[in-house]
Amino acid sequence: MSGADVNLVLRSTRVVTPDGTRAAAVAVAGGRIDAVLPYDAGVPAGARLEDFGDDVLLPGLVDTHVHVNDPGRTEWEGFHTATRAAAAGGITTLLDMPLNSLPPTTTVDHLRTKQRVAAPKAHIDTGFWGGAIPTNVKDLRPLYEAGVFGFKCFLSPSGVDEFPELDQEQLARSMAEITGFGGLLIVHAEDPHHLAAAPQRGGPAYADFLASRPRDAENTAIEGLIAHARRLNARVHVLHLSSGDALPMIAAARREGVRITVESCPHFLTLTAEEVPDGATEFKCCPPIREAANQDALWQGLADGTIDCVVSDHSPCTTDLKTPDFASAWGGISSLQLGLPAIWTEARRRGHSLDDVARWMSAAPAALAELDRKGAIEAGRDADFAVLAPDATFTVDPAELFHRNQVTAYAGKTLYGVVRSTWLRGERIAADGTVGAPTGRLLVRGH
């Protein structure tokens, strides 16, 4: 071991590091990883040893797409319940989206309001995205200087009046402003004209809802986003990609040098349109869960690196808003606590490893947000870990979830991967389905 300050050693026969999975001992000092050492390295005098046997020691997950809805719509979720659910699911860092709370994170004053509300409630480390709306170009630089990690915009209606979408001219203006100070624009990419032209039939039939959100809406919006990013040399990120059709153009843009990254979500990668029962609006999200063949294309995009990250897009609501009518029901999937086992269940079936899962769900989201102390088990990083029993299974019981509203598309599914414990900066914050008191910190960009 490297120093007298080491106070904790975590040992496992399977530690997922940037160089692969191996037996190792991870020495922790002052809440950071001091060294990753051979499995049988000696334990310094006074240091505590935690031996996880064959359970896998993963880097704590980083979820950069969470709608906490606090303050203002706290009955939908809230910082206490969201971060508690995240901790139970192996997530040690999340970034909160700028909308569905009141106020939205579109000014520095609104950011300060959110920070005050979150500070005493956060079980895990928590940061914030800013919002780009038609009226706040002047607020973007001050928000960035105040510590938001980038800016989210919509290209079609967001579903809440206080967070309007950008038209193409407004998008270009906001993108130019953000590029001017080196920021990141993250985009809900669905084209409003394609949505308006699609058949809009209400009712319980999932096929009708799917027809109302065609892949062309995503593909056209992403094509336009690439054109703006190419012209402005902007850094952009496509949120919650559901259309596999868009992957070739994204890959081609990257080969040209366009600075574009992409995420997808557990629901697009593990659920299919074919399995959604009519009236089951717990499966409703925008863009929508698509067909199995499309899902195969998304997995190919993960395998070849076109899709960078897998994050939750946890977007909960109260139970009464999930009416059986797909047109009027709130759109959003609750999955914060279940993302790791959901993805691992499908990843293992498709021949992927936990090294892949750690890259998609920890390293890549941390890199996206430039969270240099998160995302890997290596010296100098925060001592954030998830301990996973990868071959153990459980059946999802909504009543056992920590989300404020126990509505989930995963109800009744049997999943591989039980999170045994979660560690934040060297302290165990969750174990065997129980979560301790809030000890998370608020994160600001650049610190």
Side-chain angles (χ1 to χ4, degrees), residues 57-72:
L57 188 65
L58 290 159
L61 270 56
V62 177
D63 192 339
T64 53
H65 195 149
V66 181
H67 295 270
V68 179
N69 309 332
D70 194 6

Side-chain angles (χ1 to χ4, degrees), residues 67 69 73-77 100 281-282 284 314-323 329-334 403-407:
H67 295 270
N69 309 332
R73 291 190 177 96
T74 311
E75 69 276 13
W76 292 19
E77 190 58 273
N100 299 345
T281 56
E282 63 269 25
K284 178 184 176 179
H314 177 71
S315 185
C317 65
T318 53
T319 305
D320 60 294
L321 295 179
K322 286 291 191 181
T323 67
W330 178 258
I333 306 281
S334 291
H403 309 152
R404 185 180 296 277
N405 295 281
Q406 284 89 19
V407 178

Side-chain angles (χ1 to χ4, degrees), residues 351-393:
H352 293 285
S353 68
L354 281 168
D355 295 77
D356 297 325
V357 173
R359 184 174 68 254
W360 299 330
M361 303 188 78
S362 186
L368 173 74
E370 299 179 305
L371 288 162
D372 297 338
R373 288 168 52 177
K374 307 293 186 182
I377 297 178
E378 64 181 1
R381 305 268 186 156
D382 285 351
D384 297 350
F385 311 103
V387 179
L388 186 75
D391 301 318
T393 63

Side-chain angles (χ1 to χ4, degrees), residues 92 123-125 374 383-384 422-427 429 439-440:
T92 51
H123 289 84
I124 65 172
D125 286 358
K374 307 293 186 182
D384 297 350
T422 306
W423 298 69
L424 181 67
R425 293 187 307 279
E427 298 292 335
I429 60 170
T439 58

